[in-house]
Amino acid sequence: MRTRHSTPAALLLPFALLLAGCGGASRADGAGGGTGSGSDGKGSLTLDVGDQKGGSEALLRAAGELDDLPYKINWSTFTSGPPLLEAINAGAVDVGAVGNTPPVFAAAAKSKIKVIAGAHSRSDGEAILVKKDSPLKRPAQLKGKSIAVTQGSSANYQLVASLKKAGLSPKDVRLNYLQPADALAAFTRGKVDAWAVWDPYTSQALDQADARVLTTGQGVVNGLSFQVAAPSALDDKEKAAALKDYTDRLRRAQNWVFKHPAVWAKAWAKETGLPEKVALDAVKRTRGTAVTVAVDEAAVDSEQRIVDTFAALKLIPRSYDFGAFVDPRFNGDLPPSTTAPRTYGKAE
């Protein structure tokens, strides 16, 4: 269902730019789809960090947290969480940030990964969208309808959970597994009735694709995202110390974002090609609300529910103990994973 040519170029281009950093097929060069994007810091120790366009590197740089770095960071950019985790499994990357669902699939494949840090955000940006003139008013009306979603993404679980809350299952709807750019095209042309997606795509569709929110993931999904590391890096004393410092810098940078949403939105827009208004909407709706939290028993239990759900749907081959893929050594005095995210009030 490739219908890009019918989509207005002005709308598709920013999505294509984001797709290069946040979703879609892996790039050909680099382990697991990563592309080199420079380095920071100095010293004899090098931390290989996997990133996505407009992700950790841009965040740390905007917050000034890459100044006076006592070790080197080699950045590699990946198209999405799954290829980034493939690179960690292969030992090509030491650490990287992903959403709540890619680790579920990676661990199901017995990848060599460890979740070492978490963040809890609002889930308003995890949404099921319909057109403004759609007759659909509530999730229960999705029965028999066609829905675009990216398989294995956080939106995939949000859709499953929202359907369950409405008394439906995936068998009650027609799923179209599409990457965001193709889903946008299908949604724009009316080839699907709804689109399950995440920010910043949600914010851009609301701003430019004549979309409205049918329902969000708030109160339905866990709102967690993670830093995932290679066990080999954690077993190296010097790298483990650098990983602790790196996660501390990310925590401080996230605190900075909440206090400076417009400054970060401007930097994020420049990095990704997003319109600045859309970037600010996404920051206030989701991205700026994150609170760094411990990867504790509640977080593990919440992820276990995702594991069990996908196993029951045969989207992963088996259920397993998610806790076996967690290393809590950096929890320290971080607040529990159930700590409420920050809020800017109602997003525009």
Side-chain angles (χ1 to χ4, degrees):
M1 190 182 294
R2 293 184 178 271
T3 53
R4 296 187 189 194
H5 295 296
S6 65
T7 305
L11 175 58
L12 185 56
L13 179 59
F15 270 84
L17 288 170
L18 275 168
L19 187 63
C22 300
S26 302
R27 293 176 181 174
D29 51 327
T35 58
S37 60
S39 62
D40 286 280
K42 59 184 179 181
S44 59
L45 179 68
T46 297
L47 204 59
D48 292 304
V49 179
D51 197 17
Q52 299 180 46
K53 192 78 170 176
S56 299
E57 180 184 0
L59 175 63
L60 291 168
R61 196 174 305 287
E65 287 291 340
L66 293 179
D67 301 338
D68 301 320
L69 199 64
Y71 49 89
K72 292 180 181 177
I73 292 180
N74 280 343
W75 299 99
S76 295
T77 304
F78 292 80
T79 57
S80 62
L84 193 162
L85 294 184
E86 289 171 14
I88 291 176
N89 178 58
V93 168
D94 294 318
V95 67
V98 296
N100 65 358
T101 304
V104 167
F105 281 79
K110 301 183 180 180
S111 295
K112 295 186 287 292
I113 61 168
K114 289 288 186 179
V115 174
I116 63 169
H120 188 200
S121 306
R122 288 191 60 82
S123 300
D124 303 272
E126 296 271 356
I128 299 176
L129 304 177
V130 295
K131 285 289 194 176
K132 287 181 179 177
D133 60 358
S134 169
L136 301 177
K137 302 298 182 184
R138 58 186 187 278
Q141 294 175 319
L142 289 169
K143 186 174 183 178
K145 303 300 182 182
S146 59
I147 307 172
V149 65
T150 301
Q151 189 170 20
S153 67
S154 58
N156 198 167
Y157 181 70
Q158 187 260 328
L159 173 61
V160 170
S162 294
L163 289 174
K164 183 178 180 180
K165 186 177 179 180
L168 302 174
S169 79
K171 293 181 179 180
D172 293 316
V173 299
R174 289 178 287 129
L175 297 180
N176 289 262
Y177 288 123
L178 300 171
Q179 291 293 337
D182 291 322
L184 166 70
F187 182 79
T188 302
R189 289 194 64 193
K191 297 297 184 181
V192 293
D193 297 300
W195 182 17
V197 71
W198 63 92
D199 253 336
Y201 300 111
T202 297
S203 293
Q204 189 160 17
L206 292 173
D207 186 67
Q208 300 181 352
D210 199 33
R212 64 175 169 84
V213 173
L214 182 69
T215 190
T216 75
Q218 195 63 33
V220 177
V221 299
N222 63 22
L224 295 174
S225 58
F226 300 110
Q227 293 291 325
V228 180
S232 59
L234 290 164
D235 290 340
D236 182 303
K237 185 176 180 180
E238 291 186 346
K239 280 198 173 181
L243 285 170
K244 173 64 166 64
D245 178 80
Y246 177 73
T247 56
D248 285 345
R249 289 171 186 268
L250 284 169
R251 174 179 50 79
R252 293 194 298 265
Q254 189 62 55
N255 292 340
W256 175 86
V257 164
F258 180 69
K259 296 176 182 177
H260 304 89
V263 178
W264 167 235
K266 185 174 183 179
W268 193 24
K270 183 178 180 180
E271 179 75 12
T272 61
L274 278 170
E276 196 169 318
K277 177 186 180 300
V278 171
L280 185 57
D281 285 347
V283 169
K284 291 188 173 183
R285 182 175 283 111
T286 307
R287 296 298 181 95
T289 69
V291 175
T292 304
V293 295
V295 187
D296 55 15
E297 185 177 346
V300 171
D301 289 346
S302 183
E303 289 295 296
Q304 188 66 49
R305 287 192 286 274
I306 300 178
V307 170
D308 295 341
T309 295
F310 279 126
L313 293 172
K314 308 298 184 185
L315 292 175
I316 57 175
R318 62 188 177 89
S319 187
Y320 60 89
D321 177 14
F322 188 82
F325 295 86
V326 170
D327 187 325
R329 72 176 72 177
F330 301 141
N331 279 352
D333 59 356
L334 289 173
S337 63
T338 53
T339 301
R342 301 170 169 116
T343 180
Y344 295 97
K346 184 176 174 60
E348 295 298 327

